[in-house]
Amino acid sequence: MANFFIEKQLEAVAREQGTTVRSLRSKISDVASGLQMATACSGTDSPMVLAKCLGLESSFSCEFDERKQEWIMENFPEIQRLFSDIKTLKCQQVLNLVTGAMERVPRADIFITGFVCKSVSTENNDRKVYKNCIKEGTGETGETFSGMMDYVKKHSPSVVIAENVKGITAKNDGQPPVILHVADAMKRAGYHFGYKILNTSDFLIPQSRNRCWMIGLRRDKYSQCDVEDVFDMIEQMKSPAMELKKYFQHFCVGRAGMPVNKAPNARQKRVIKVALKKVPKRSNRDQVIVDVAKSEQRAPVQLNRTPCLVANSAMFWHNEERFLSAEEVLALQGIFTKDFKAAKSTFLTQQRRLCHDLTGNAFSMSVCSAVLTAVLLKIAEA
């Protein structure tokens, strides 16, 4: 299913460049052969699915949460290395959860990673305490970023791709946004660096999700223009979100993992009432989705797509008079049961809340595929 996003994105690039998807696929296949990709803190480890589609080899994954470790091992039984803490990747040897043995952390050509967003999120009431978290390595964001950079400095992957919340680009208590500290760290480590806010709804998926995507290309192999070229290519790959109902129909998304409470409670009904007032000009055809887990003051609402999915979201589909299922919210990150076999057999039925948590913290598959595909096409040009 992830191939759908890749195919649509390659079609857009082919039109722009006056070539064919087959030619672009061939370039990617040639350059991907033998390249090792590692992931850390990616939530569902969706880059592993993309690696299979694009012909990359998996070096290792890294995930701290034990429940998410279980998700990774059950959905990717072929995985050879799974480490538990990004902050330990700098060590000479680390426990491999797959084998139970201490092993050397290998070098990867492409390192795709997240780092904790809590300290820089605009929803964090203590955010101003962490205005220098990247520079000082403080707070969960700073500590996990330091772990990321320890790996980068030790192993010098050719490409570093990272993702975090939009708040990382916003000023904090009058201080410059900490993304500038990220840029400084990457430049000191020997990388040309760039970042951009990308919205999941600009990449086919009907979810309004703004995230900061960062790309570092090793200075001895690439130029700053190459970083800019990658982002230009990502722009070419943009395509409007599919309408919510059509999206679910197109990908045959079911309703596994429905919440126990099938009707909103009194507080949630008040949130819905406030949300409806925010979209007075909606038509009868417009699908209204409200995150009723949030307060009446916030009442996030979108038409024909969902508000941003976070770990504690409770999306109510007003037209259908029901909550979205765990299967549906996973699909709104591009995470489908055809790509994640254990999701349907185990997690959607037995660990519904974990699926919501995974959704809130996962990379959007369609955005990640655009970034990774654009990077591979740039490598092919080098």
Side-chain angles (χ1 to χ4, degrees):
M1 304 291 273
N3 250 325
F4 174 83
F5 300 123
I6 296 171
E7 196 71 11
K8 289 294 183 183
Q9 289 157 0
L10 289 178
E11 286 174 4
V13 174
R15 286 194 299 270
E16 185 72 21
Q17 296 185 357
T19 185
T20 64
V21 172
R22 183 176 180 179
S23 174
L24 296 175
R25 282 275 191 184
S26 178
K27 287 181 179 180
I28 290 173
S29 179
D30 289 344
V31 77
S33 178
L35 287 182
Q36 296 277 334
M37 187 192 78
T39 71
C41 307
S42 69
T44 58
D45 220 359
S46 53
M48 285 275 283
V49 174
L50 296 171
K52 293 179 186 179
C53 296
L54 295 166
L56 293 163
E57 296 179 12
S58 173
S59 177
F60 67 84
S61 294
C62 182
E63 174 54 55
F64 183 76
D65 189 301
E66 291 183 1
R67 300 170 304 159
K68 295 174 185 177
Q69 293 166 4
E70 180 186 354
W71 167 279
I72 292 171
M73 287 196 279
E74 290 203 23
N75 280 292
F76 305 102
E78 73 279 8
I79 191 172
Q80 296 182 2
R81 301 181 192 88
L82 175 60
F83 304 120
S84 66
D85 191 344
I86 194 171
K87 292 179 284 186
T88 66
L89 296 182
K90 64 181 179 181
C91 299
Q92 289 298 320
Q93 290 196 321
V94 180
L95 178 64
N96 180 355
L97 298 173
V98 177
T99 63
M102 299 296 290
E103 296 184 17
R104 179 183 61 84
V105 177
R107 178 188 178 275
D109 301 289
I110 300 174
F111 185 39
I112 303 182
T113 181
F115 50 99
V116 176
C117 67
K118 184 177 179 180
S119 306
V120 296
S121 172
T122 53
E123 295 188 16
N124 183 356
N125 293 330
D126 296 324
R127 182 173 181 261
K128 65 180 181 180
V129 176
Y130 302 107
K131 55 192 172 188
N132 289 311
C133 63
I134 295 296
K135 188 182 293 184
E136 298 171 353
T138 55
E140 293 182 57
T141 299
E143 290 172 359
T144 50
F145 177 76
S146 294
M148 164 190 150
M149 289 307 302
D150 285 338
Y151 178 82
V152 169
K153 287 183 282 189
K154 182 174 181 178
H155 294 282
S156 298
S158 298
V159 177
V160 178
I161 298 170
E163 185 251 35
N164 210 288
V165 294
K166 185 180 180 180
I168 200 170
T169 67
K171 286 186 177 182
N172 189 343
D173 196 31
Q175 297 297 309
V178 297
I179 189 65
L180 301 182
H181 300 160
V182 173
D184 288 342
M186 288 295 294
K187 289 172 183 176
R188 288 197 305 271
Y191 289 81
H192 293 293
F193 178 80
Y195 69 92
K196 190 160 192 174
I197 302 299
L198 300 175
N199 194 327
T200 300
S201 66
D202 290 327
F203 295 87
L204 294 166
I205 296 178
Q207 180 200 171
S208 181
R209 185 184 187 86
N210 281 303
R211 288 295 182 267
C212 178
W213 284 83
M214 298 156 263
I215 297 173
L217 300 181
R218 219 168 74 189
R219 191 177 296 137
D220 62 339
K221 291 187 173 185
Y222 303 96
S223 69
Q224 186 63 40
C225 287
D226 290 328
V227 177
E228 293 165 7
D229 287 347
V230 171
F231 280 112
D232 286 343
M233 198 177 304
I234 293 168
E235 285 293 312
Q236 295 171 14
M237 294 177 178
K238 285 184 174 181
S239 184
M242 299 171 68
E243 189 269 332
L244 187 71
K245 189 174 288 188
K246 291 181 180 178
Y247 180 83
F248 288 152
Q249 291 172 347
H250 179 88
F251 290 106
C252 302
V253 178
R255 299 186 187 180
M258 287 294 291
V260 176
N261 298 322
K262 297 184 178 181
N265 59 33
R267 186 199 65 79
Q268 292 169 337
K269 287 179 180 178
R270 292 196 298 271
V271 175
I272 294 168
K273 185 176 181 179
V274 172
L276 293 175
K277 291 180 180 179
K278 292 183 177 181
V279 285
K281 296 182 179 180
R282 64 187 185 280
S283 71
N284 292 332
R285 291 185 177 182
D286 284 327
Q287 304 299 304
V288 182
I289 299 87
V290 183
D291 187 352
V292 297
K294 303 299 182 289
S295 66
E296 293 175 56
Q297 290 72 31
R298 294 184 59 196
V301 60
Q302 291 285 334
L303 298 180
N304 303 314
R305 59 184 182 181
T306 68
C308 181
L309 287 155
V310 294
N312 66 350
S313 288
M315 295 295 174
F316 187 77
W317 193 346
H318 178 66
N319 307 65
E320 300 282 316
E321 297 185 345
R322 68 175 180 86
F323 289 95
L324 295 184
S325 69
E327 184 173 357
E328 288 169 326
V329 296
L330 280 173
L332 288 163
Q333 286 283 47
I335 300 162
F336 303 106
T337 55
K338 287 189 177 180
D339 292 326
F340 296 83
K341 302 296 184 183
K344 193 163 192 176
S345 61
T346 303
F347 292 90
L348 286 170
T349 54
Q350 300 174 25
Q351 300 191 50
R352 181 184 62 82
R353 284 310 313 168
L354 173 61
C355 290
H356 282 267
D357 184 61
L358 283 162
T359 299
N361 292 292
F363 295 167
S364 297
M365 182 78 80
S366 63
V367 186
C368 192
S369 71
V371 175
L372 183 56
T373 301
V375 163
L376 289 173
L377 288 171
K378 173 48 66 175
I379 292 174
E381 293 177 6

